[in-house]
Amino acid sequence: MNFVADKLSIYASSEVNPLVISLFSEEWQKRTGFEPIVAENENDAKIVFSVDPAIENNDLFVVNYCSEQIIFTAKTIRGLIFGYSLLLRKTTFIDDKAVLNENISGTHAPQKQIRGHQIGYRTTPNTYDAWDYNDYFRCQLDLMAFGANTIEHNGSHGKGEFK
């Protein structure tokens, strides 16, 4: 697989939650400085997101690479986020170009059903008590990017409130 993109076009089938496009576009723009173009049809896109209700696992995703196009298929938005996160982790971003030399094609399923992480305030050395909503949202997206599907927030024993 040798995928190179300087200007990226993306497409999502009508069944795909628009949030997938929004989140992916935001992550791509953070790394490259430009926002992907949303294509009118699948043939004009370098990256395609699709949903297949027949997939048995919400976390499983399938990546197909053919003729300069990467197609992500999953049952749910969570699977699509796991899929595009794999692409983002394996891609090198240099001089406004994205280069993927590793073959990520195939069916990707987690080894464990629950992959969780705990976050919360502790007196030392964490800074969770200083976080706002956007900080927690960013942390949760980052945890999902590395495969977490469960996040538990341990509060500060009744002190403070997360809004």
Side-chain angles (χ1 to χ4, degrees):
M1 175 181 276
N2 189 13
F3 181 78
V4 178
D6 52 355
K7 297 292 183 193
L8 184 70
S9 56
I10 57 177
Y11 175 81
S13 64
S14 59
E15 301 85 17
V16 173
N17 187 320
L19 184 59
V20 171
I21 295 294
S22 175
L23 291 173
F24 176 77
S25 295
E26 182 181 314
E27 294 297 325
W28 190 266
Q29 187 171 11
K30 283 179 186 177
R31 289 161 174 81
T32 63
F34 63 87
E35 187 172 351
I37 300 162
V38 178
E40 295 291 323
N41 63 60
E42 183 175 335
N43 296 330
D44 294 337
K46 284 203 168 233
I47 301 216
V48 175
F49 297 101
S50 66
V51 171
D52 182 358
I55 294 176
E56 68 278 354
N57 183 327
N58 289 342
D59 295 345
L60 181 138
F61 61 93
V62 179
V63 182
N64 289 315
Y65 178 73
C66 54
S67 66
E68 298 299 315
Q69 187 179 60
I70 300 175
I71 302 170
F72 293 97
T73 306
K75 181 177 183 175
T76 64
I77 184 174
R78 187 166 67 191
L80 290 172
I81 290 172
F82 290 151
Y84 78 64
S85 294
L86 175 66
L87 171 70
L88 294 173
R89 286 194 317 270
K90 300 294 184 179
T91 302
T92 304
F93 298 92
I94 302 171
D95 297 330
D96 296 333
K97 282 191 179 177
V99 179
L100 176 66
N101 291 321
E102 185 176 336
N103 188 356
I104 61 171
S105 294
T107 300
H108 301 268
Q111 290 180 343
K112 307 240 184 256
Q113 185 176 3
I114 296 177
R115 300 164 318 281
H117 191 77
Q118 294 179 330
I119 60 175
Y121 175 75
R122 299 292 181 267
T123 54
T124 57
N126 296 327
T127 61
Y128 296 121
D129 59 328
W131 288 10
D132 62 9
Y133 175 85
N134 292 329
D135 294 326
Y136 275 98
F137 187 74
R138 175 81 255 153
C139 178
Q140 291 177 11
L141 285 177
D142 290 344
L143 289 170
M144 284 184 72
F146 287 95
N149 67 355
T150 306
I151 300 168
E152 179 183 28
H153 180 262
N154 293 325
S156 58
H157 307 292
K159 298 176 186 173
E161 183 177 308
F162 178 64
K163 295 179 182 178

